[in-house]
């Protein structure tokens, strides 16, 4: 046995010594001029570098196997090359073409690193570029810039994303690829992820159960962490944001570094916000919130593969805008002392890729723990729960060619919900949830134009709960449950590139979602209503067809997408018409066969004669109905967004200066569900300007913005503040300062 182990490890060692993989070359423009500072990055390995003054770059200590290398430079179209390494040096010279609009991006929210145009399912990429995204205390509002994405909000600190009319447990939130679990079933609970240390947000529109299982029936939002520093460098940034509407302040500082093999970083941040001002000037009592966050990571990239470790911690204290708080709070403030919720979240994750000749093995695991506390009167605990989740997945990428991918894998998670310290309210019972799944996926490209993707998956899930109360107490008793679910899901789709600039996409997906703990077991007051679950609920099953069209040139892009999503046994909460003995309205979780349909369109124009001008517009529409003709709840109104942006490399003392105007128009939402009221439309105007100032050798980016410039008094259809008669936030003047720094070409030999 010992001899066999010795031979095995000796073989691995010899393999590592023999695999002297290297990629090097030059990055130039169409006129053969070197592009100093061009970024070269391999997302699978989380490893990158930058081109020197001659356009030369070099990546070493790479494993055997197939990888996609992305070349990017501001003002130029991305170039993505697939490289097959086999113990050799490869010279890869790349020419980047100038463009004024965004081009194809590498995305990682799937089974493998690919490009947007490679995927039959539509994946949107939102870059957190300060020239484009809003400066707002509500991060979900930034994500809602993506066409087809909206938000359910209860003020600036509490909001949930919505994709094509589906929300909460019908969409899955990922923190850098890790299934994020923080009691996301409720519209009173926050997103739980802040924007700092995040490079991109990737949004999969439509069912993604093939990729991620239950809860991805409506789509996926994946928050992708920032890339490590280029090899041989150390860099960082300090961020300050000030907000007039909430008297808010955000501070965030991060630093990271990379050597040839090792990389790591750390980031710390803090947010504090007072009660926001509604349109018209009145404050919204108890909409205050305070947050702290700490993030760190470390990793190694070598000839065998890459190994990454991440730890995220956050503490959130969020005021609850409820009748009790409104009655008691008469002065505006920022300290949470009564009627608030607190989330303490720890997330430790490990992501690993091993390369064995033409095989690649991916193994990821994560443990997360979220403690939820509701406070009533000062220092009075109403409830206290802890949700602990272990997630893991393993994938084997089978030998394939440049035009194919073959993947098999296994995923699972084990979760426990525990009530702590015998608090007054038991919102959910103690419970154990286990989920195991197996899947297969393949992609093949014909004639370099037609890409076909298909896959199948099977999930087995069990939920076991403990009883609460005594059977004799019919109002509070909840019997123990033992539920078992099994379901197949899958998809079949295609992309067809008519030319390099014209793309057609079609996809059909079958997905499912199992009932969650709240839907099965609720029986008690939750915020301003009494909620009851139904232990006989069955899984939702969705069947969605997506069609889309994309065209781009050097000075414009146009996208058009449509979808039709049929959901059997759609789960929603609805009023029963009854009240408790104390007069609280009773709501019950119900099911009905339903359908959602609609689409999005987007146009981005950068006129050639006016190189400093950008014009963008998007339109999104969704309608959700039950088979009986009633409309579904929490479906956003149709929305039209316009953006006019002027950019110049140098404006007076500003570098990369810009000024932009944005308008958002929400149409009347008259398609209200039985538990909703109709909502009038509104139009908002936002302005922003900024650029970079060089002080000695230090650049400092500054942005000043005004959201809801005319202080419009309005209510969005998805605002739960409507329940307590409050309006959405009014005018907000924001100042954002970012100070980056870097130490390049350090002598880091390891």
């Amino acid at each position: 046995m010992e001899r066999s182990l010795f031979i095995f490890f000796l073989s691995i060692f010899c393999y590592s010594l023999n695999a002297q993989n290297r990629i090097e070359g030059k990055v130039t423009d169409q006129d053969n001029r070197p592009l100093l500072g061009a970024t070269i990055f391999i997302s699978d390995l989380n490893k990158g570098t930058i081109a020197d003054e001659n356009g030369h770059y070099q990546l070493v200590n790479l494993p055997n196997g197939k990888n996609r290398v992305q070349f990017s430079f501001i003002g130029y179209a991305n170039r993505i090359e697939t490289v097959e390494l086999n113990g050799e040096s490869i010279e890869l010279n790349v020419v980047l073409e100038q463009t004024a609009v965004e081009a194809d991006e590498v995305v990682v929210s799937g089974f493998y690193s690919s490009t947007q145009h490679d995927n039959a399912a539509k994946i949107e990429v939102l870059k957190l570029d300060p020239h484009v995204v809003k400066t707002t205390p509500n991060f979900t509002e930034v994500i809602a810039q993506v066409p087809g994405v909206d938000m359910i909000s209860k003020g600036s600190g509490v909001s949930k994303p919505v994709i094509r009319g589906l929300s909460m447990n019908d969409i899955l939130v990922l923190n850098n690829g890790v299934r994020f679990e923080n009691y996301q079933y409720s519209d009173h609970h926050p997103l739980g992820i802040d924007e700092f240390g995040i490079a991109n947000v990737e949004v999969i529109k439509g069912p993604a159960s093939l990729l991620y299982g239950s809860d991805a029936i409506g789509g996926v939002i994946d928050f992708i962490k920032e890339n490590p520093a280029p090899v041989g460098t150390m860099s960082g940034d300090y961020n300050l944001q000030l907000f007039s509407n909430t008297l808010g302040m955000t501070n965030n500082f991060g630093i990271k570094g990379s050597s040839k093999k090792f990389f790591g970083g750390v980031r710390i941040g803090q947010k504090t916000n007072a009660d926001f001002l509604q349109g018209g000037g009145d404050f919204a009592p108890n909409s205050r919130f305070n947050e702290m966050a700490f993030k760190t990571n470390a990793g190694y990239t070598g000839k065998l593969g890459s190994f990454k470790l991440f730890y995220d911690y956050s503490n959130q204290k969020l005021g609850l805008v409820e009748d009790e708080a409104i009655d008691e709070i008469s002065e505006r403030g920022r300290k949470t002392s009564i009627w608030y919720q607190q989330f303490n979240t720890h997330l430790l994750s490990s992501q690993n890729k091993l390369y064995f000749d033409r095989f690649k093995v991916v193994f990821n695991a994560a443990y997360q723990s979220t403690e939820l506390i509701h406070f009533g009167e000062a220092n009075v605990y109403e409830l206290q729960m802890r949700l602990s989740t272990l997630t893991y997945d393993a994938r084997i990428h089978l030998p394939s060619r440049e035009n194919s991918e073959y993947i098999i894998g296994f995923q699972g998670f084990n979760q426990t919900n525990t009530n702590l310290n015998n608090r007054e309210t038991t919102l959910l019972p103690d419970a154990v949830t286990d989920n195991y799944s197996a899947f297969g996926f393949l992609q093949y490209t014909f004639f370099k134009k037609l890409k076909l993707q298909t896959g199948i998956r099977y999930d087995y899930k069990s939920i076991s709960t403990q009883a609460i109360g005594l059977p004799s107490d019919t109002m509070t008793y909840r019997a123990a449950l033992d539920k078992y679910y099994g379901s197949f899901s899958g998809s079949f789709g295609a992309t067809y590139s008519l030319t390099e600039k014209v793309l057609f996409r079609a996809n059909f997906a079958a997905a499912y979602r199992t009932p969650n703990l709240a839907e099965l077991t609720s029986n008690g007051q939750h915020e301003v209503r009494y909620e009851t679950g139904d232990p006989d609920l069955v899984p939702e099953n969705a069947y969605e067809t997506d069609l889309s069209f994309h065209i781009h040139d050097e000075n414009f892009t146009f996208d058009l997408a449509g979808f039709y999503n049929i959901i059997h046994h759609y789960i929603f909460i609805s009023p029963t018409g009854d009240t408790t003995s104390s007069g609280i309205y009773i709501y019950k979780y119900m099911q009905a066969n339903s359908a959602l349909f609609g689409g999005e369109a987007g146009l981005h124009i950068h006129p050639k004669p006016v190189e400093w001008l950008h014009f963008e517009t998007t339109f999104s529409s969704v309608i959700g109905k039950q088979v009986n003709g009633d409309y579904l709840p929490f479906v956003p109104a149709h929305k039209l967004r316009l953006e006019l942006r002027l950019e110049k490399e140098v404006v007076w003392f500003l570098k990369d200066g810009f000024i932009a105007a944005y308008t958002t128009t929400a149409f009347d939402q008259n398609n209200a569900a039985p538990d909703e009221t109709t909502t009038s439309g509104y139009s908002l105007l936002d302005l922003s300007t900024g650029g970079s100032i060089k002080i000695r050798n230090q650049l400092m980016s500054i942005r000043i913005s005004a959201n809801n410039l005319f202080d419009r008094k309005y209510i969005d259809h998805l605002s739960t503040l409507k329940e307590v008669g409050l309006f959405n936030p009014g005018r907000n003047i924001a100042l954002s300062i970012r100070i980056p720094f870097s130490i390049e070409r350090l002598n880091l030999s390891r």
Side-chain angles (χ1 to χ4, degrees), residues 137 154-157 243-248 272-278 281-290 317-322 325-326 328-340 721 726-732:
K154 199 177 186 69
S156 301
F243 306 101
S244 68
N245 185 281
T246 61
L247 302 177
T272 176
N273 290 269
D275 301 322
F276 76 81
L277 297 178
Q278 307 171 64
D282 294 333
F283 78 92
N286 212 35
S287 58
R288 61 198 68 176
F289 67 99
N290 298 278
K317 295 180 179 179
L318 310 159
L320 293 169
V321 186
E322 300 175 353
I326 293 172
E328 291 194 40
I329 294 176
S330 58
E331 294 184 0
R332 191 182 185 197
R334 69 177 65 248
K335 182 180 179 181
T336 48
S337 57
I338 61 172
W339 302 108
Y340 73 96
L721 294 172
L726 299 180
F727 295 93
N728 281 76
R731 182 190 300 113
N732 179 49

Side-chain angles (χ1 to χ4, degrees), residues 134-188:
K134 276 189 174 183
T135 304
T136 169
N138 186 350
F139 184 35
T140 311
E141 190 176 354
V142 174
I143 307 166
Q145 292 179 235
V146 176
V149 179
D150 218 296
M151 67 173 180
I152 299 170
S153 69
K154 199 177 186 69
S156 301
V158 180
S159 56
K160 309 288 288 187
V162 179
I163 301 178
R164 290 178 168 177
L166 295 176
S167 57
M168 289 172 282
N169 264 63
D170 285 318
I171 64 173
L172 185 63
V173 173
L174 304 177
N175 185 343
N176 204 40
V178 176
R179 181 188 181 97
F180 193 63
E181 296 285 338
N182 72 330
Y183 296 107
Q184 66 268 38
Y185 66 87
S186 172
D187 57 57
H188 297 278

Side-chain angles (χ1 to χ4, degrees), residues 174 511 519 540:
L174 304 177
E519 294 162 343
E540 298 176 344

Side-chain angles (χ1 to χ4, degrees), residues 116-138:
Q116 287 176 286
H117 294 174
D118 281 339
N119 284 276
K122 189 170 179 59
I123 302 179
E124 297 276 7
V125 178
L126 174 65
K127 291 185 175 182
L128 299 188
D129 181 350
H131 287 207
V132 179
V133 302
K134 276 189 174 183
T135 304
T136 169
N138 186 350

Side-chain angles (χ1 to χ4, degrees), residues 429-447:
D430 291 352
V432 175
T433 303
D434 298 310
N435 193 102
Y436 307 100
S437 62
F439 57 83
F441 172 86
L442 66 89
Q443 173 181 286
Y444 199 89
T445 302
F446 297 90
F447 323 116

